C-alpha cells in the first residue's frame, strides 16, 4: 500500500557551514496513523514538523501527501493544520467563532461556516457549547476546540507541536487519552512532536526516535520500547542504566580494564527490572556494589548504587541503608545487549 505521507531523504541546514538539522530523513506514514516524533531538545523533530507544514524549506528531498508533492508549496497551499503548545485560541471569541476562524480566513460563505461548525461541535461532543467563552472551558474542552478549529478546514494532515507540554501532569494524563480517542474517531492522519516517551507510547501507532537530525528507529511502541535498535534509543526509552560486560562463554560479568573489546558487550537495563540482594536465578546478572543514595517513592525506594567505576539506579520495595554493600540483580531477559563502544 502506498504511503499517505512520504518523507524522502529530507535534509535541512541553516547555513552552508552549519551541520544539518535534518540529515536525509525518510519516513512513510499510512492514512489514519498517529506517528510520534520523539527525541531530546535540538534533535530536529520540530524542524521536521515545520518542514511538513511548509515553514521550513528543505535543501534536498521530497515530501509527498496523498500522491501530491508538496515540497515547494507555501504553507497555505498544503492543506495541513497545526495545534500548538498553548492551543492558540482567541480568548475574546466564543467556541463557535474559534472553530470557524480558519474558514473565515479562507473566505468561506457564512452559511457554510455555520453548517461546518455545527458538524464539528457534534463530532467533538460539544453540542450546545458554541456560544460559550473559551475562557470558561476545562483543559479537555479547550483541547477539543483547538482540534475542532484544525479539523474544520478539512486538512490532509494534523500536525501537533508538543500541545500538552505546558500542562500539569495530571491534566496531561487525562488529555492524552481524550486526544487519542478524538484522532481515532475522526480518522485523521497526525504527526505528534514530543520529548516525553510516556506521551509517545500512549498516543502513537508508531514512534520515530530522532537524534542528531536522523531517525534512529521507527516502529510500534512495543518494538521501540522492548527492542531498541541502539544504545541511544534504549536509554531514551528508559533503559538508562548502562554497564560494560564481558561475555565469558555465555556468562556475563562486569568488564575490567584489560578485557578484550571483542568480548565486551554494552548492556542497558531499566531500574524497575533490577533488584537488590542475592540472585535467586543463577542465569541473572549479579553486580557487586554500594548503595550511595536512597529515595522514597511511595511504592518503594529508588537507589543509586556504585558499581565498579560507574553507577546504576535500582527500584526496590525493601528499605536498604545508604552505605550498604549489596548486589544488583538483573534478570537475563531484562538486559538489552549491544556491541561495546570503540574507545
Amino acid at each position: 500500500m502506498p504511503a499517505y505521507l512520504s518523507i524522502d531523504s529530507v535534509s535541512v541546514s541553516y547555513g552552508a557551514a552549519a551541520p544539518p538539522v535534518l540529515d536525509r530523513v525518510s519516513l512513510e506514514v499510512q492514512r489514519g496513523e498517529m506517528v510520534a516524533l520523539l527525541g531530546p531538545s535540538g534533535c530536529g523533530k520540530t524542524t521536521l514538523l515545520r518542514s511538513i507544514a511548509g515553514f521550513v524549506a528543505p535543501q534536498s528531498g521530497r515530501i509527498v501527501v496523498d500522491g501530491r508533492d508538496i515540497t515547494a508549496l507555501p504553507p497555505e497551499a498544503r492543506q495541513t493544520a497545526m495545534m500548538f503548545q498553548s492551543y492558540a485560541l482567541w480568548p475574546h471569541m466564543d467556541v463557535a467563532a474559534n472553530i470557524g476562524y480558519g474558514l473565515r480566513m479562507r473566505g468561506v460563505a457564512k452559511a457554510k461556516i455555520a453548517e461546518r461548525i455545527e458538524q464539528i461541535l457534534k463530532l467533538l461532543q460539544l453540542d450546545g457549547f458554541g456560544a460559550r467563552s473559551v475562557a470558561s472551558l476545562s483543559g479537555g474542552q479547550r483541547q477539543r476546540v483547538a482540534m475542532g478549529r484544525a479539523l474544520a478546514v478539512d486538512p490532509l494532515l494534523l500536525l501537533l507541536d508538543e500541545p500538552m507540554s505546558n500542562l500539569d501532569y495530571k491534566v496531561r494524563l487525562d488529555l492524552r487519552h481524550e486526544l487519542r480517542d478524538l484522532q481515532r474517531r475522526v480518522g485523521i492522519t497526525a504527526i505528534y512532536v514530543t520529548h516525553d516517551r510516556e506521551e509517545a507510547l500512549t498516543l502513537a501507532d508508531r514512534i520515530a526516535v530522532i537524534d542528531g537530525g536522523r531517525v534512529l528507529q521507527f516502529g510500534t511502541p512495543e518494538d521501540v520500547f522492548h527492542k531498541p535498535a541502539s544504545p541511544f534509543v534504549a536509554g531514551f526509552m528508559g533503559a538508562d542504566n548502562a554497564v560494560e560486560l564481558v561475555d565469558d562463554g555465555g556468562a556475563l560479568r562486569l568488564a575490567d580494564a584489560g578485557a578484550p573489546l571483542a568480548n565486551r558487550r554494552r548492556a542497558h537495563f531499566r531500574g524497575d527490572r533490577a533488584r537488590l540482594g542475592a540472585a535467586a536465578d543463577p542465569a541473572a546478572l549479579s553486580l557487586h556494589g554500594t548503595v550511595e543514595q536512597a529515595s522514597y517513592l511511595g511504592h518503594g525506594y529508588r537507589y543509586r548504587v556504585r558499581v565498579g567505576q560507574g553507577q546504576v539506579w535500582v527500584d526496590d520495595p525493601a528499605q536498604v541503608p545508604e552505605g550498604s554493600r549489596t548486589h544488583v540483580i538483573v534478570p537475563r531477559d531484562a538486559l538489552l545487549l549491544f556491541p561495546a563502544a570503540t574507545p
Side-chain angles (χ1 to χ4, degrees), residues 206-228:
R206 288 192 290 168
I207 298 172
V209 182
I210 300 176
D211 189 49
R214 293 186 175 185
V215 175
L216 304 185
Q217 188 168 355
F218 186 37
T220 65
E222 293 83 2
D223 280 346
V224 174
F225 188 84
H226 293 292
K227 302 173 185 177

Side-chain angles (χ1 to χ4, degrees), residues 42-65:
C43 72
K45 58 187 185 294
T46 297
T47 299
L48 180 56
L49 192 78
R50 291 173 63 81
S51 296
I52 299 169
F55 301 131
V56 173
Q59 275 70 55
S60 61
R62 293 196 319 149
I63 301 172
V64 178
V65 178

